[in-house]
């Protein structure tokens, strides 16, 4: 497949996922699911044109290269903007993509859901389209308007409706109407068991039953119900249920610790409720890890990788492939890739190739995936440990990816490119952090990271020309850095020194690669 075909295949898969989500939010003939389905089908048809014996024509290919990615990735970009609290830009993007009021309702509902998860109730109410019982119930819960929420009529039709009923059960418990809450939970279970048994209904049911058990002070039942992670349920909610169960069972000190953890990980808009719980217990709220800061270095590093890829395209377009031995090499590969078992190439064993290879990528899919994962995981780690540790783990992961590859291949010819080692170094450092933590949120995050890394290993084995050992080495390097940093004193000076060293090495490696590229020109 060509690079364009691979890009459209990725767009087809993403658009297919978005279409599945869109069909849950809007009728199939409405604008949001219809455009997403068309984007998915067009992208798939054009992507496979080079594999199967049919021709789509250049005009259709060019149109699909625009329309397919636009409606595949556009909604994801809008959601990402909402997560950054850039709601106006998110709404503007939705308005540009979907031109009817009905077409905008479903994507705006997604943005409203993001706002609710962040505790931005006023923003959510601006985005909630029409009479949406589910969204209204969640907003009332965040505002703690328990009387209004308890009187809300919630028909259990569709998997999403269970979220609203779970919020109503919470309201009944807050109003000391335990028997009504138990009856509502029994109706919820009967309806779920008799219906399609979707995942949202499942986690809503378990959360509601855990809240009832907590109200009774039955901590063993709470642990049984919430012992396994419930994807989609915020960590602060799970902690609050455990905390209330501890309080009702007379374990006041444990309740305080759990409420403190909930306060620390909750969105800023929701921390006041946990601060009140702590004051009721005669305790002070801890200093929270603020999320108001922006992970600038994560964004900057992603931008540098993207700019380096543009530089790579320019270099390869202006310098013809070079044939120093038995095969042709692009100029960018000769200048910066990690080379193994290929004697006779210029500076093939240079130390700086252990780092410079991260700034060269195989194609648009390769760079796009690495930047996407870096922005997703890097911002979490930077907000948690600071930009210095983010940069250090990226450098150590990248170097270790090349080193483990060298050991595993034992001199076999290899050309290694891509920032996967550095990105997985950040993921490995984050995993080292969460594995040593005892919070419910970090245990859930550890499980997600481990499952994701297992998938990366499977894909590395299944897909040709993907470096398994580069990925494994990145994770190993990141975890080594993460554990080592935990064992050192917590002084900021250590982080700064490590980051300065890593940055200096990266700059020298890039400088050496650019010098070599100049000589090749």
């Amino acid at each position: 497949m060509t690079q364009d075909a691979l890009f459209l295949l990725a767009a087809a898969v993403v658009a297919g996922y978005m279409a599945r989500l869109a069909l849950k939010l809007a009728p199939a003939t409405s604008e949001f699911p219809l455009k997403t389905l068309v984007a998915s089908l067009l992208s798939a048809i054009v992507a496979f044109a080079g594999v199967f014996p049919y021709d789509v024509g250049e005009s259709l290919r060019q149109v699909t290269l625009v329309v397919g990615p636009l409606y595949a990735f556009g909604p994801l970009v809008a959601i990402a903007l909402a997560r950054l609290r850039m709601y106006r830009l998110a709404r503007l993007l939705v308005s540009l993509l979907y031109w009817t009021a009905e077409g905008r309702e479903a994507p705006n509902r997604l943005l409203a859901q993001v706002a609710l998860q962040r505790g931005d109730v006023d923003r959510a109410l601006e985005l909630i389209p029409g009479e949406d019982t589910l969204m209204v119930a969640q907003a009332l819960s965040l505002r703690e308007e328990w009387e209004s929420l308890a009187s809300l009529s919630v028909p259990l039709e569709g998997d999403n409706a269970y979220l609203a009923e779970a919020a109503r059960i919470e309201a009944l418990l807050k109003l000391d109407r335990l028997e009504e809450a138990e009856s509502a939970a029994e109706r919820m279970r009967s309806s779920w068991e008799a219906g399609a048994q979707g995942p949202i209904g499942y986690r809503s049911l378990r959360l509601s039953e855990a809240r009832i058990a907590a109200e009774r002070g039955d901590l063993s039942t709470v642990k049984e119900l919430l012992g396994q992670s419930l994807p989609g349920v915020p960590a602060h909610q799970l902690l609050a249920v455990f905390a209330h169960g501890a309080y009702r069972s007379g374990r006041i000190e444990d309740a305080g610790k759990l409420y403190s953890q909930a306060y620390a990980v909750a969105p800023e808009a929701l921390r006041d409720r946990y601060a009140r719980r702590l004051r009721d217990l005669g305790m002070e709220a801890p200093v929270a890890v603020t999320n108001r800061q922006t992970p600038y270095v994560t964004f900057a590093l992603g931008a540098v990788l993207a700019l380096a890829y543009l530089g790579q395209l320019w270099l390869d377009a202006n310098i013809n492939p070079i044939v120093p031995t038995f095969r042709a090499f692009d100029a960018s590969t000769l200048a910066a890739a990690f080379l193994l078992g290929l004697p006779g190439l210029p500076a093939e064993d240079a130390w700086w190739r252990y780092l410079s290879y991260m700034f060269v990528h195989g194609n648009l899919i390769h760079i796009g995936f690495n930047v996407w994962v870096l922005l997703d995981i890097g911002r979490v780690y930077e907000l948690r440990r600071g930009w210095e540790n983010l940069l250090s783990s990226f450098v150590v992961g990248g170097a270790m990816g090349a080193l483990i590859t060298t050991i595993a291949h034992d001199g076999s010819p290899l050309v290694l490119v891509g920032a996967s080692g550095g990105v997985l170094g950040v993921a490995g450092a984050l995993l080292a952090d969460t594995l040593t933590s005892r919070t419910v949120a970090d245990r859930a995050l550890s499980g997600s990271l481990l499952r994701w890394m297992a998938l990366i290993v499977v894909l590395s084995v299944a897909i040709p020309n993907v470096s398994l050992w580069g990925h494994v080495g990145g994770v190993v390097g990141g975890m080594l850095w993460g554990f080592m940093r935990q064992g050192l004193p917590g002084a900021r000076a250590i982080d700064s020194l490590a980051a300065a060293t890593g940055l200096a090495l990266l700059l020298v490696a890039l400088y050496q690669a650019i010098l070599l590229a100049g000589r090749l020109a």
Side-chain angles (χ1 to χ4, degrees):
M1 277 191 171
T2 65
Q3 180 173 315
D4 287 351
L6 285 171
F7 182 51
L8 287 177
L9 183 59
V13 173
V14 173
Y17 163 78
M18 288 303 304
R20 183 169 175 266
L21 178 61
L23 289 170
K24 294 180 179 180
L25 299 172
T29 55
S30 61
E31 189 180 6
F32 181 35
L34 193 59
K35 282 185 172 179
T36 312
L37 282 168
V38 169
S40 180
L41 290 172
L42 274 179
S43 299
I45 290 170
V46 175
F48 286 113
V51 178
F52 298 102
Y54 62 85
D55 183 26
V56 295
E58 183 61 21
S59 297
L60 180 59
R61 192 182 74 86
Q62 293 295 336
V63 169
T64 304
L65 279 170
V66 175
V67 173
L70 191 63
Y71 286 97
F73 300 110
L76 294 177
V77 172
I79 292 171
L81 290 171
R83 286 177 176 166
L84 293 171
R85 288 195 167 97
M86 302 169 69
Y87 296 108
R88 289 185 180 179
L89 281 177
R91 294 187 71 174
L92 176 61
L93 179 57
V94 168
S95 298
L96 292 173
L97 291 174
Y98 308 101
W99 308 324
T100 65
E102 183 185 22
R104 294 169 184 164
E105 279 191 5
N108 279 337
R109 187 175 288 114
L110 291 175
L111 302 184
Q113 187 64 52
V114 172
L116 288 171
Q117 290 172 352
R118 299 189 66 86
D120 299 331
V121 183
D122 292 337
R123 291 290 190 180
L125 291 173
E126 292 175 7
L127 292 161
I128 291 174
E131 294 295 326
D132 191 314
T133 304
L134 169 60
M135 295 286 187
V136 170
Q138 290 176 283
L140 291 173
S141 174
L142 290 173
R143 284 185 165 175
E144 298 186 300
E145 297 181 11
W146 306 124
E147 290 286 358
S148 300
L149 181 52
S151 61
L152 196 66
S153 176
V154 182
L156 291 177
E157 298 175 358
D159 202 30
N160 286 336
Y162 289 96
L163 288 171
E165 183 65 1
R168 199 178 76 85
I169 289 173
E170 181 186 14
L172 291 170
L173 291 171
K174 296 294 184 182
L175 296 170
D176 294 325
R177 292 156 62 176
L178 177 59
E179 291 184 0
E180 289 182 60
E182 289 177 327
S183 298
E186 289 175 4
R187 287 195 302 272
M188 182 192 288
R189 174 167 286 281
S190 298
S191 176
W192 182 78
E193 290 177 345
Q197 299 188 3
I200 296 176
Y202 171 77
R203 68 174 182 248
S204 298
L205 177 60
R206 289 184 75 89
L207 186 61
S208 297
E209 292 178 339
R211 281 174 172 152
I212 290 171
E215 183 66 23
R216 292 189 172 279
D218 186 357
L219 265 181
S220 60
T221 301
V222 174
K223 290 178 181 178
E224 180 183 344
L225 290 166
L226 302 183
Q228 296 180 347
S229 63
L230 296 179
V233 180
H236 66 90
Q237 284 190 15
L238 297 175
L239 288 164
V241 175
F242 277 107
H244 187 63
Y247 169 74
R248 295 289 293 180
S249 63
R251 297 165 62 173
I252 306 302
E253 185 177 348
D254 290 338
K257 291 179 181 178
L258 289 163
Y259 276 130
S260 294
Q261 291 181 24
Y263 177 90
V265 301
E268 188 176 357
L270 300 180
R271 286 179 183 154
D272 185 58
R273 65 167 58 184
Y274 298 122
R276 293 199 304 271
R277 306 288 189 278
L278 287 165
R279 286 195 295 270
D280 291 342
L281 297 175
M283 302 177 185
E284 291 295 325
V287 177
V289 177
T290 178
N291 288 325
R292 287 183 296 176
Q293 65 189 79
T294 303
Y296 290 114
V297 173
T298 298
F299 295 152
L301 190 54
V304 169
L305 291 176
L307 289 172
Y309 183 65
L310 293 177
Q312 171 189 343
L313 294 179
W314 180 88
L315 185 68
D316 293 341
N318 286 275
I319 302 177
N320 292 326
I322 301 169
V323 190
T325 56
F326 57 89
R327 55 172 286 190
F329 292 90
D330 288 330
S332 61
T333 299
L334 285 179
F338 181 75
L339 304 175
L340 185 64
L342 295 168
L345 301 186
E348 83 282 355
D349 58 351
W351 70 265
W352 42 264
R353 290 188 182 275
Y354 281 81
L355 297 175
S356 63
Y357 81 95
M358 294 191 290
F359 297 91
V360 183
H361 286 82
N363 51 48
L364 189 60
I365 299 294
H366 195 194
I367 178 67
F369 181 78
N370 279 334
V371 171
W372 176 24
V373 175
L374 174 65
L375 295 180
D376 192 38
I377 292 179
R379 62 185 176 85
V380 176
Y381 189 60
E382 182 177 349
L383 293 175
R384 185 184 185 106
R385 281 287 185 175
W387 69 267
E388 299 95 339
N389 281 288
L390 169 86
L391 192 58
S392 298
S393 61
F394 180 82
V395 172
V396 174
M400 188 63 72
L403 178 60
I404 296 294
T405 299
T406 301
I407 296 171
H409 281 261
D410 193 25
S412 301
L414 177 76
V415 176
L416 182 65
V417 296
S420 303
V423 172
L424 285 166
V426 176
L430 178 59
L431 180 62
D433 234 27
T434 58
L435 286 174
T436 55
S437 172
R438 297 181 180 179
T439 68
V440 175
D442 281 348
R443 286 203 300 271
L445 182 54
S446 293
S448 298
L449 285 170
L450 288 169
R451 288 190 294 272
W452 176 74
M453 288 176 182
L455 177 62
I456 292 294
V457 169
V458 172
L459 293 176
S460 300
V461 173
I463 300 176
N465 299 321
V466 175
S467 175
L468 168 64
W469 296 110
H471 291 161
V472 171
V475 173
V476 170
M479 293 188 71
L480 285 174
W481 170 258
F483 287 128
M484 182 181 72
R485 185 62 194 89
Q486 292 174 40
L488 295 173
R492 187 70 180 267
I494 294 177
D495 293 335
S496 299
L497 177 61
T501 303
L503 181 60
L505 290 171
L506 283 179
L507 291 175
V508 172
L510 284 173
Y511 176 70
Q512 293 291 342
I514 291 170
L515 282 182
L516 181 54
R519 291 201 298 270
L520 294 173

